[in-house]
Amino acid sequence: MINLNSPASTDVLVVIDPQIDFCPGGALAVPGGDEIMPLVNRLAERFAHVVLTQDWHPHNQISFASTHGAQPFSTIQAPYGEQVLWPDHCVQGSPGADFHPLIKSGLADRAEVIIRKGYNAAVDSYSAFFENDKTTATGLAGYLRERGLTRCVFVGLALDFCVRYSAEDAVSEGFEAMVVTDATRAINMNGSRDAAVKALRACGVDLVRAA
Ligand code: VGL
Ligand code: ZN
């Protein structure tokens, strides 16, 4: 089990989508999303390696309800499987796609890599490792391997979507993975928070608390 006070040199803090649109007032607000930012900053100070992801969508993204004239939070069958339709969010270059101010003035300057995801109009991307087609790699696994980083500690938004799928993919790519649950918040639609916690435990992801 990791000691969050003194991470190893082969540990990496992966901060998932700490963006304005996922915070209260944003386009796809995660309840309490902004509350995690001070803790995320404090954790990041202890890690030698910090990676950020940034949800980064074109206007006509397949995951936008507006693209299909459909209701947000409904689903469609995309060519790669079921896709939840979201309100337009994290549009490339928009203010809502920017990092939360506490992250921007804190760890964003220190992050060694920022993985942008969901920039392909035809395929959404929840995971930091693979697009939702489960085959198109983002390059993060290769980066971590080449740098000799073996354990991913996940924080950020949202626990039941991008954090969940990132941690699951980390395990399937051969990394150790853990989630610091009090440095995450969930969208929680149709019980998705509980489902995520169950799925993460089942695939061997450690769920820990910083507090
Ligand atoms: C996310 C839904 C759509 C997330 C991103 O960061 O969890 N969720 N895009
Ligand atoms: Zn998105």
Side-chain angles (χ1 to χ4, degrees):
M1 182 82 75
I2 191 175
N3 177 356
L4 286 174
N5 288 316
S6 54
S9 61
T10 50
D11 293 338
V12 57
L13 185 73
V14 184
V15 184
I16 303 292
D17 300 356
Q19 289 166 266
I20 288 170
D21 268 346
F22 295 123
C23 292
L28 179 42
V30 181
D34 55 333
E35 296 165 6
I36 67 168
M37 304 304 170
L39 175 56
V40 170
N41 268 335
R42 284 202 299 279
L43 286 170
E45 283 168 16
R46 306 173 196 159
F47 279 76
H49 299 279
V50 178
V51 169
L52 287 174
T53 67
Q54 189 171 27
D55 215 37
W56 196 247
H57 300 310
H59 274 291
N60 57 344
Q61 229 277 332
I62 189 170
S63 75
F64 288 176
S66 64
T67 301
H68 310 274
Q71 285 300 316
F73 308 105
S74 62
T75 58
I76 55 160
Q77 268 317 116
Y80 52 82
E82 188 172 276
Q83 172 68 53
V84 179
L85 298 180
W86 305 105
D88 291 20
H89 64 279
C90 299
V91 173
Q92 294 169 356
S94 69
D98 211 342
F99 294 117
H100 183 280
L102 282 183
I103 298 296
K104 202 169 161 143
S105 64
L107 70 102
D109 288 341
R110 273 198 53 225
E112 60 194 65
V113 171
I114 299 175
I115 296 280
R116 286 179 167 166
K117 59 187 183 58
Y119 54 77
N120 178 348
V123 186
D124 198 11
S125 187
Y126 294 148
S127 162
F129 293 94
F130 289 100
E131 296 185 354
N132 288 7
D133 62 8
K134 305 279 182 204
T135 51
T136 308
T138 64
L140 181 57
Y143 176 80
L144 297 179
R145 274 185 208 116
E146 291 203 341
R147 301 285 294 189
L149 302 173
T150 57
R151 181 159 57 181
C152 300
V153 178
F154 292 97
V155 298
L157 304 171
L159 173 62
D160 41 352
F161 286 90
C162 292
V163 174
R164 171 188 173 174
Y165 294 108
S166 296
E168 289 182 9
D169 285 347
V171 170
S172 67
E173 285 298 296
F175 300 100
E176 273 186 82
M178 59 183 52
V179 173
V180 183
T181 52
D182 48 343
T184 69
R185 291 291 186 276
I187 294 172
N188 204 14
M189 56 182 276
N190 309 319
S192 55
R193 187 188 191 282
D194 287 349
V197 167
K198 243 184 227 149
L200 287 168
R201 288 208 175 105
C203 76
V205 176
D206 272 333
L207 302 182
V208 300
R209 288 179 57 84

